Amino acid sequence: MLLAQAQSFCGKCFEVAVMDKERLLLWIRAVLIFTPSSKRIWEVSANYDDIVEFMTALDDHMVSGLNDKELQRIVKYSLKDAEIIKKRCEELGINIYCYESEGYPDRLKRIANSPAVLYTYGNLDFLNDKCVISVVGSREPSEYSVKITKHICADLIRRNCLLASGFAGGIDQIANRVAIENNSRPIA
């Protein structure tokens, strides 16, 4: 239900700016509790109408099925922690998009267990228009793996695909470097 509710808010401006801030902070805190890219946030929140109702129920110990680590993180992380993250992102020029924010990529909404919060530099509109290929692999690749990764990544870029990879060394780093060398935008 929360996922459906978040979808209904997406792309709409909230009437009160405070509501935007409150909801954003609640989403950030939810990610602190359930960890980034975790399907648990969607599983556990399924019976709640919106993020406010869900997080209130968490704080009131009314949500069932939580594991020990999640219960510990509910106590450990407060809205103050979310506010610290938000403030630091503002200082660094990092954009924050929660699932219900205007600007959250439509393509990500269509995948299972969408990230509840995204932290980005720049505009994400290009994600809706281009092919995006994820490149991941060993942190200690063989010479052959490096050569093939460079070849495949360069070919994908020539075919107008964007490369998405992590920050890890090895194959991830190679994919990002090939994207930059070929005047493409790496997604990391």
Side-chain angles (χ1 to χ4, degrees), residues 6 8 13 15 31 36 41 54 61 77 82 121 153 163 165 178 183:
S8 75
C13 295
E15 293 179 12
V31 168
I41 194 169
F54 173 58
H61 308 286
Y77 296 114
Y121 281 109
C153 289
L163 303 180
S165 197
V178 169
N183 299 314

Side-chain angles (χ1 to χ4, degrees), residues 26 29 33 54-63 74-75 77 79:
L26 290 172
R29 182 169 176 240
I33 293 167
F54 173 58
M55 295 303 288
T56 300
L58 273 180
D59 287 334
D60 292 342
H61 308 286
M62 302 295 292
V63 178
I74 290 168
V75 174
Y77 296 114
L79 285 178

Side-chain angles (χ1 to χ4, degrees), residues 117-163:
V117 177
L118 296 173
Y119 299 90
T120 70
Y121 281 109
N123 186 314
L124 295 181
D125 290 342
F126 66 92
L127 286 178
N128 293 318
D129 300 330
K130 289 198 170 206
C131 167
V132 179
I133 303 290
S134 180
V135 181
V136 295
S138 174
R139 290 183 181 190
E140 297 178 17
S142 67
E143 277 185 49
Y144 177 75
S145 295
V146 170
K147 178 181 175 183
I148 292 301
T149 299
K150 287 179 178 180
H151 175 77
I152 291 171
C153 289
D155 189 49
L156 289 168
I157 292 166
R158 278 190 296 277
R159 295 170 188 265
N160 207 28
C161 291
L162 293 174
L163 303 180

Side-chain angles (χ1 to χ4, degrees), residues 35-104:
T35 70
S37 301
S38 172
K39 66 180 182 176
R40 289 287 293 156
I41 194 169
W42 303 118
E43 293 170 349
V44 177
S45 67
N47 295 322
Y48 297 90
D49 288 334
D50 63 28
I51 191 70
V52 175
E53 181 183 337
F54 173 58
M55 295 303 288
T56 300
L58 273 180
D59 287 334
D60 292 342
H61 308 286
M62 302 295 292
V63 178
S64 60
L66 298 173
N67 64 43
D68 289 340
K69 286 187 177 189
E70 291 164 343
L71 290 169
Q72 290 169 1
R73 289 189 297 254
I74 290 168
V75 174
K76 180 178 179 180
Y77 296 114
S78 69
L79 285 178
K80 185 176 181 177
D81 296 301
E83 182 66 48
I84 290 168
I85 291 170
K86 180 180 174 290
K87 183 178 179 185
R88 185 67 176 142
C89 287
E90 288 170 355
E91 291 168 358
L92 295 172
I94 296 171
N95 301 309
I96 306 172
Y97 297 95
C98 66
Y99 188 88
E100 64 187 27
S101 296
E102 184 175 340
Y104 187 97

Side-chain angles (χ1 to χ4, degrees), residues 172-188:
D172 292 29
Q173 189 176 44
I174 291 165
N176 291 329
R177 191 175 311 124
V178 169
I180 291 166
E181 289 169 357
N182 286 275
N183 299 314
S184 180
R185 298 185 212 181
I187 302 169

